[in-house]
Amino acid sequence: MQTTKYPSGDPETQPAAPHRIAMWSGPRNISTALMRSWGARQDTVVCDEPLYAYYLLQTGITHHPGWQEVVEVHEGQLPEVLAWLTGPTPAGKSIFYQKHMAHHLLPGMPVEWTDQLTNLLLIRDPREMLLSLTKVFESPSLEETGLPQQLLLFQRELDRTGHPPVVIDSRDLLQNPEAMLRQVCERVGVPFDPAMLSWRPGPHDTDGVWAKHWYDNVWKSTGFDTHRPREGDLPAEMQDLLKQCQEIYDQLAAAKLTCPTAGC
């Protein structure tokens, strides 16, 4: 069995009503910066892509940087991971924030366990996302964008509760972090904390072992960056994928939080 960097929770030290917040993001988004934001709170413990090792083991993918170390260090057995994500909150904190990549939800994987979490979706303009993603993977599939999985989670939450999950567009968040984070906190039932607007630079203990391959910009940061539109055109062979992504994105974006201030 793989070891894990993440601490287990102790039932004896649990708060009365812990919040388990799952942020489901597509690739090449600001998910790590958002994890930093929540990790800056004293009442919160965060975890970094807890399904990544399972995803690598199940798909047999070996072209991700540092894949061998990921499956050696992080837990890759699904029952153990899910029990941890839905169990006692680590360190007795009142908030357990989970940074998830939506594409880690593989076909046939159970999703009922997500009903025990407060699920949020982090989306990004598909053209900008694909322009960034194709710098890393030459021919990504629709499933690798995480959008179909985000739509599945969106519909499941809507069917189960009668209300859509919180949907956040990264562009809106970058244009006015405080206003957007205040809305997010209100929607998930926790007080806003100004500490969420800044963090210390460099590696954090809660980073996955893959951080040295991917987190260079985040390690240099001390807060949310400004939004910079990504310039460029996708090649002709990517247009069908862009159309598929845009259709799903538009469905999700119809329910996104809107910034209440003129700064957005």
Side-chain angles (χ1 to χ4, degrees), residues 4-5 15-16 34 40 59 64 74 76 79 88 91 128 132 135 152 184 194 198 219 225 241 244 248-249:
T4 178
K5 293 181 65 178
L34 199 51
T59 59
H64 285 203
H74 293 278
E128 292 196 359
S132 180
K135 301 295 184 184
L152 180 152
V184 172
S198 62
W219 283 357
D225 201 355
L241 177 59
Q244 295 176 74
I248 299 176
Y249 170 86

Side-chain angles (χ1 to χ4, degrees), residues 18-233:
H19 293 268
R20 299 178 184 86
I21 299 173
M23 184 66 72
W24 297 93
S25 176
R28 313 306 289 173
N29 211 333
I30 58 169
S31 58
T32 307
L34 199 51
M35 179 179 69
R36 283 286 190 271
S37 174
W38 283 89
R41 298 176 61 114
Q42 292 298 311
D43 59 359
T44 301
V45 63
V46 303
C47 70
D48 191 7
E49 300 183 33
L51 295 170
Y52 192 12
Y54 168 79
Y55 172 80
L56 292 176
L57 288 168
Q58 293 300 306
T59 59
I61 289 173
T62 59
H63 61 269
H64 285 203
W67 72 271
Q68 184 70 51
E69 190 176 9
V70 175
V71 300
E72 289 175 352
V73 171
H74 293 278
E75 178 60 70
Q77 301 303 311
L78 189 60
E80 283 80 355
V81 177
L82 300 189
W84 179 66
L85 294 174
T86 57
T89 57
K93 301 289 188 177
S94 60
I95 300 173
F96 184 12
Y97 180 90
Q98 305 170 12
K99 171 200 166 190
H100 287 286
M101 293 291 102
H103 63 276
H104 290 169
L105 289 176
L106 294 169
M109 180 178 170
V111 294
E112 294 81 6
W113 61 278
T114 64
D115 295 345
Q116 301 179 55
L117 312 174
T118 300
N119 297 289
L120 298 84
L121 306 179
L122 180 63
I123 61 175
R124 183 185 182 187
D125 174 84
R127 188 190 67 84
E128 292 196 359
M129 178 270 293
L130 288 174
L131 281 170
S132 180
L133 185 59
T134 52
K135 301 295 184 184
V136 182
F137 303 120
E138 185 176 348
S139 300
S141 66
L142 179 62
E143 287 69 27
E144 286 175 315
T145 71
L147 282 162
Q149 296 91 331
Q150 287 183 314
L151 184 60
L152 180 152
L153 290 167
F154 180 94
Q155 193 60 54
R156 182 178 181 83
E157 192 80 2
L158 184 60
D159 292 343
R160 185 175 67 87
T161 69
H163 302 283
V166 174
V167 180
I168 309 154
D169 192 302
S170 59
R171 178 174 181 172
D172 297 332
L173 180 57
L174 291 176
Q175 288 181 323
N176 196 323
E178 180 172 348
M180 292 301 294
L181 288 171
R182 283 184 179 277
Q183 280 199 91
V184 172
C185 289
E186 180 180 1
R187 289 287 297 272
V188 301
V190 302
F192 170 72
D193 187 340
M196 299 176 75
L197 299 175
S198 62
W199 50 83
R200 63 172 177 80
H204 287 207
D205 290 342
T206 48
D207 292 345
V209 297
W210 52 86
K212 56 181 173 285
H213 302 288
W214 298 99
Y215 292 179
D216 183 59
N217 288 336
V218 173
W219 283 357
K220 295 175 183 176
S221 71
T222 58
F224 290 103
D225 201 355
T226 56
H227 177 256
R228 297 184 180 88
R230 180 171 284 274
E231 304 296 335
D233 296 315

